[in-house]
Amino acid sequence: MSAESPISAAVDGQAGPPLLELKDVQMMFGGVMALRGVNHRVIAGRINSVIGPNGAGKTTLFNCISGLLKPTEGGVYLDGERIDGLPPHRIAQMGVSRTFQHVALFKHMTVLENVMVGRHPRTRSGFLAAGFRFPGMRREEGLIREEALSHLEFVGMGDLADIPAGSLPLGKQKILEIARALATGPKLVLLDEPAGGLNMKETEELGELIQRVCGKGVTVLLVEHDMNLVMDISHHILVLYFGEPLTEGPPSEVKANPAVIRAYLGESLTDPPAASSK
Amino acid sequence: MQKRDWLIFLAVAVFLAIFPFIAARISAISHYIDIMVFAGIFSIVSLGLCMLMGYAGQVSMAQAAFFGIGAYTSGILTSHFHWHPLPAIPIGCLLSAAVAWLVGVPALRLKGHYLAMATLGFGEIVHIVLNQEVEWTGGPSGLVDIPSLKILGVRISSEEAWYYIVWTAALCTLIFCFNVLRSRVGRALRAIHEEETAADAMGVPTARFKLQVFVLSAVLAAIAGSFYTHYVTFLNPGTFDLMWSIRFVLMVMLGGVQSLWGAVLGTVLLTFIGNEWLRVFADFDILVYGAILLLVALFLPDGLVSIFPKGRSASGNV
């Protein structure tokens, strides 16, 4: 079905080397093929979005990149280094962080502590250093707190530092997940439906925040159903349809692509593959 | 530690310091010093278990086994090989740590009840070994000829001296645990407990941290075991069976599984319940413990510390 939108056509005009490269990534769950060979390059310094109807494999793709799933076939490369098959914490260490579609905060910890956990891959103190409060550990602890606070302030939640994360309204929880992800010091941050459950004003603020994140030099890969948001802020969009790239390109092109419209509205589409990813 | 914890710590330390003087003057409770020595020893075990269970969320039914490994290492080295008691203590810790590491690598892949079952099985194995290796452990008839603790050439024999040594060690352990919890490591452990997937994605090597806290709990249990050996100077496998592992779990749960203070409180209470207050039920102790467990689970899921007001809104129990 993607015959009329060759992917190579959309790749031109992309500056710089790919930060993340997906080579023929396939993911099978039993007999179900959630990803049917995704080839894609994520260029650094931009807001890249992945869209597609429910079950297109967007979250599966994120899980394959962040290490929660190991692709059945194919490879994921970060700055040319292969990362698929590595455990998630190694991938985080290498500079890929993420948020979760269904908020996965540490609910009983404070807002600030949540972000402090995010500093984990950039800090070192272990059990002994912590237990005996070695001077190096105390210095590091002070830095962790400072950096976590600055990330909280960056997302505009500095005043909420000491309340339990679980008591925040959903909108704030989604933003806190972004602050926590940024605290890991990522090159690439994967945002999985950050606008889900947000009202219009919150979504607008989220859009501004994502642009500021990109402005800091962090590459964004965004999965989102809110098309206004995606079309407003994305530099580049990949459309997934039943586990396969349908097309990709800048928002204006993607929006006008008849294949994309068909995929979303289901018009006159014969023979849709009966696969689902979620 | 936060200001509130330091205040509690100070109050507890002062109480512990003067307790022997009070107890010695009232003949009805003069033997409480002896019970408190046991409570102090067990507190070291339950503090480790509290870190493992309450904060990292991993249930272990094998703490009595690690307690036993420490106890028998000290016992065998000092009785068979006539070692000085002090160097035998770190050997017990090392052995316990090594065993915990070996058991933990496969077992900590399991979650919840499965992990509890695996550790329970391991605990039984240790218990069987202690019973069967008669040549080394004395088997069911016990290990005798264990010397008392000697520090700087002075033999520690009086209950009071033991009391102060044991509780100093327990309070040091408490401070150590507080420090760990209020650090990058403690946050990582709590993160694993709450959302393991998210913790992993945020760069926390979850498997390594679970293993490390399991080893820490085993080392603390081994230290306590060494103290126990030299205080009692007689070992018998019955102290290291499943029932004791359950008791340690119960101590932590009674006080409050997510509170270090709770672990100490629960340990002291349960030690008194077992050794003194409910002695008449000695033959039915399983029933008594079962009833306590049931009551705690039903009415005080957060343990006895939940009766006290919290210090701050979030995770004030740290």
Side-chain angles (χ1 to χ4, degrees), chain A residues 174-229:
Chain A
K174 291 257 177 181
I175 302 294
L176 177 55
E177 280 223 332
I178 296 176
R180 184 178 68 176
L182 290 177
T184 65
K187 297 176 197 162
L188 171 69
V189 61
L190 315 175
L191 305 177
D192 197 351
E193 294 194 28
L198 301 198
N199 63 33
M200 257 171 69
K201 185 169 162 288
E202 287 171 328
T203 306
E204 214 170 280
E205 288 169 358
L206 174 74
E208 283 163 22
L209 174 61
I210 294 173
Q211 284 175 319
R212 282 195 295 128
V213 169
C214 182
K216 273 173 70 150
V218 179
T219 307
V220 176
L221 191 58
L222 172 70
V223 160
E224 187 47 66
H225 278 299
D226 186 321
M227 282 308 137
N228 289 331
L229 177 67

Side-chain angles (χ1 to χ4, degrees), chain A residues 100-152:
Chain A
F100 292 86
Q101 182 182 359
H102 305 289
V103 176
L105 288 169
F106 313 122
K107 291 192 178 58
H108 297 99
M109 297 168 74
T110 65
V111 167
L112 182 64
E113 283 173 328
N114 268 272
V115 184
M116 287 168 87
V117 172
R119 290 305 296 162
H120 197 94
R122 304 286 166 244
T123 46
R124 319 184 30 191
S125 303
F127 274 85
L128 289 182
F132 293 114
R133 292 189 70 76
F134 291 159
M137 172 268 167
R138 299 166 75 153
R139 215 175 309 123
E140 189 179 81
E141 188 72 9
L143 268 178
I144 293 173
R145 181 170 291 268
E146 239 170 67
E147 287 159 345
L149 260 175
S150 81
H151 285 292
L152 268 186

